[in-house]
Amino acid sequence: MKYLDEYRDPEVARHYVTAIEKITTKPWTIMEICGGQTHAIVRYGIQNMLPGEITLVHGPGCPVCVTPIEKIDKALEIAARPEVIFCSFGDMLRVPGSVTDLLSVRAEGGDVRVIYSPLDAVQVARDNPHKEIVFFAVGFETTAPGNAMAVYQAREMGLKNFSLLVSHVLVPPVMESILSNPDGKVQGFLAAGHVCTVMGMDAYVPIAAKYKVPIVVTGFEPLDILQGLYMCIRQLEAGRRQVENQYSRVVEAHGNRSAQQLISEVFQVIPRQWRGLGEIPQSGWGLAPAYADYDAERHFGLTEILPEESSDCISGEIMQGLKKPVQCPAFGIKCTPDHPIGAPMVSTEGACSAYYRYGNE
Ligand code: SF4
């Protein structure tokens, strides 16, 4: 199939593996940011193709995995209200809060609906004027334009029964957090191509310079990842520490200006809690004051709750590149996709789910 097979060609993959073998002289630890990249790496056995000197660790770029447990608990509280229709992408439904999940709330009678676009939630609000419609707006920079458009349209239409439960997070601040950890091992990054499609690459230039790490904006197919790794290792071996673009067929240096304009109209940068990682300054988006009426937490008068995370789950260490999923004592024993303890075992982008599904390490 065009646009897929050409990025999965085994001959070209062998070419990149040979090229990586030729240039690698030292041990290097490289983190892919995005959970989609993690799944491609584990599914296609990319780690196993590489020279033994190269270690791949898996970053925090799975939106479901980093949505804090207190936000899940707020979602559960809102979704259980009889006047509410709670709309969410499907993969949030099984993410455990401190006691239950959205799927269980639905089983107990809550009106929890899976939608495929935030604009579908706006339509649900138009179709149900006597109900309160809440959309669970989670994710990175990639999903922000769609979520911003939904609330922008709701305001344009004068909808009063629509709000967002927002848990947006940003990639550059979490990269800085990982690089600031004195126990950190990451020496180079594969940045997430789709995030840069929206935001461009400018924010990564000061990070590469300050922390002396190569950052290669990379796509999601096996050949994208092998080429991104080759570019990253080539920089490491040559002593260069720059931002490069492997995903140039999609990413432009300055990103999508229209999307950025819409985001800055609707959202403002705020501190954000990350599941497993704690609070990171200026690492998220919340609704801007002009859109405060569309803030579900404010609308429903929710107060701050600080639930306990399971002490069995080491997802924070995994997402900082300090450990791999198979080093979690609960992996595949107490924690499985059918009975997840932590979010990385639930999500289709979670590292633990990738290791469990493809199990090739
Ligand atoms: S295997 Fe389960 S408990 Fe362990 S880190 Fe992954 S999600 Fe958490």
Side-chain angles (χ1 to χ4, degrees), residues 291-304:
Y291 290 85
D293 290 347
Y294 294 89
D295 182 344
E297 291 183 56
R298 182 176 137 137
H299 184 77
F300 292 97
L302 299 185
T303 49
E304 280 308 311

Side-chain angles (χ1 to χ4, degrees), residues 75-284:
L76 298 169
E77 188 182 330
I78 295 171
R81 295 182 182 220
E83 74 275 22
V84 167
I85 299 175
F86 193 87
C87 299
S88 170
F89 295 134
D91 50 2
M92 293 306 294
L93 265 59
R94 292 189 57 242
V95 180
S98 45
V99 272
T100 184
D101 56 27
L102 283 166
L103 211 53
S104 304
V105 170
R106 184 161 78 176
E108 286 160 17
D111 194 344
V112 178
R113 300 188 187 179
V114 173
I115 57 166
Y116 298 95
S117 158
L119 298 181
D120 294 345
V122 176
Q123 188 60 45
V124 174
R126 295 182 75 185
D127 295 343
N128 296 273
H130 303 300
K131 288 277 195 174
E132 290 289 340
I133 314 307
V134 181
F135 175 62
F136 202 179
V138 303
F140 286 86
E141 293 91 329
T142 328
T143 51
N147 295 343
M149 180 56 84
V151 76
Y152 180 84
Q153 280 199 357
R155 194 171 80 154
E156 291 288 297
M157 292 171 185
L159 290 177
K160 302 286 183 212
N161 63 332
F162 178 80
S163 58
L164 296 187
L165 179 61
V166 182
S167 191
H168 265 299
V169 282
L170 304 172
V171 169
V174 78
M175 287 171 72
E176 289 216 56
S177 168
I178 289 167
L179 291 166
S180 303
N181 184 340
D183 298 326
K185 299 174 180 168
V186 178
Q187 294 164 296
F189 281 105
L190 303 187
H194 48 14
V195 167
C196 297
T197 306
V198 176
M199 300 306 293
M201 308 192 305
D202 295 348
Y204 300 97
V205 174
I207 298 175
K210 179 176 175 185
Y211 296 95
K212 302 190 173 29
V213 284
I215 300 173
V216 180
V217 176
T218 301
F220 305 91
E221 291 297 326
L223 293 187
D224 288 323
I225 291 166
L226 283 168
Q227 188 182 27
L229 286 168
Y230 172 76
M231 292 166 72
C232 193
I233 296 163
R234 188 176 58 182
Q235 282 203 52
L236 287 163
E237 290 281 346
R240 285 190 297 118
R241 306 293 186 256
Q242 293 164 341
V243 178
E244 289 184 318
N245 186 7
Q246 179 279 329
Y247 206 34
S248 57
R249 68 182 184 278
V250 177
V251 174
E252 293 184 10
H254 302 295
N256 182 329
R257 300 270 199 214
S258 306
Q260 291 165 22
Q261 205 175 348
L262 179 63
I263 290 167
S264 59
E265 151 83 17
V266 171
F267 293 124
Q268 62 180 356
V269 175
I270 57 168
R272 180 66 81 197
Q273 284 284 339
W274 294 60
R275 191 169 194 165
L277 303 178
E279 183 172 308
I280 301 175
Q282 304 304 90
S283 68

Side-chain angles (χ1 to χ4, degrees), residues 312-315 318 328 330-331 335 341-345 352:
D312 288 329
C313 186
I314 62 159
S315 66
I318 293 170
C328 174
F331 178 84
C335 183
I341 292 176
M345 188 56 95
C352 301

Side-chain angles (χ1 to χ4, degrees), residues 314-332:
I314 62 159
S315 66
E317 289 171 88
I318 293 170
M319 291 189 290
Q320 293 178 82
L322 303 173
K323 288 192 175 163
K324 297 247 190 168
V326 288
Q327 291 174 278
C328 174
F331 178 84

